[in-house]
């Protein structure tokens, strides 16, 4: 959101103009665009890597991280079948 605001307001762009010249709004700022793109991709890559490592631990680790408990197979009827 902040990046979009900066791009469309032209913040950070240096405009040198003389009296009487028309000022133009620079909507394309390659440095800002590539900086935001690299930052976004880095966050996505780190989150994906973290989740991949977490899921690679197996079903038991995933179930435990989600609040799962081991169910005793000897009971005919579980005490608690659904979270309220």
């Amino acid at each position: 959101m902040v990046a979009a605001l900066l791009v469309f307001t032209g913040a950070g762009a240096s405009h040198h103009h003389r009296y009487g010249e028309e000022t133009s709004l620079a909507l394309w700022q390659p440095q800002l665009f590539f900086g935001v793109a690299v930052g976004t991709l880095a966050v996505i890559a780190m989150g994906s890597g973290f989740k991949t490592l977490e899921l690679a631990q197996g079903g038991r680790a995933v179930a435990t991280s989600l609040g799962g408990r081991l169910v005793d197979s000897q009971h005919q009827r579980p005490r608690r079948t659904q979270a309220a």
Side-chain angles (χ1 to χ4, degrees):
M1 177 96 167
V2 174
L5 182 63
L6 290 174
V7 168
F8 289 111
T9 60
S14 59
H15 299 287
H16 299 288
H17 53 86
R18 296 181 194 166
Y19 180 75
E21 287 183 357
E22 220 177 285
T23 61
S24 63
L25 182 62
L27 293 179
W28 174 246
Q29 297 177 18
Q31 287 181 323
L32 178 62
F33 173 78
F34 290 115
V36 170
V38 168
T40 301
L41 291 174
V43 169
I44 291 170
M46 289 185 337
S48 296
F50 176 77
K51 276 298 178 186
T52 299
L53 290 175
E54 189 177 56
L55 294 173
Q57 294 176 0
R60 175 176 271 178
V62 173
T64 303
S65 71
L66 294 173
R69 292 177 284 137
L70 184 61
V71 177
D72 187 8
S73 62
Q74 299 299 321
H75 287 99
Q76 292 291 329
R77 196 172 199 200
R79 284 182 278 161
R80 183 173 158 187
T81 58
Q82 187 177 14

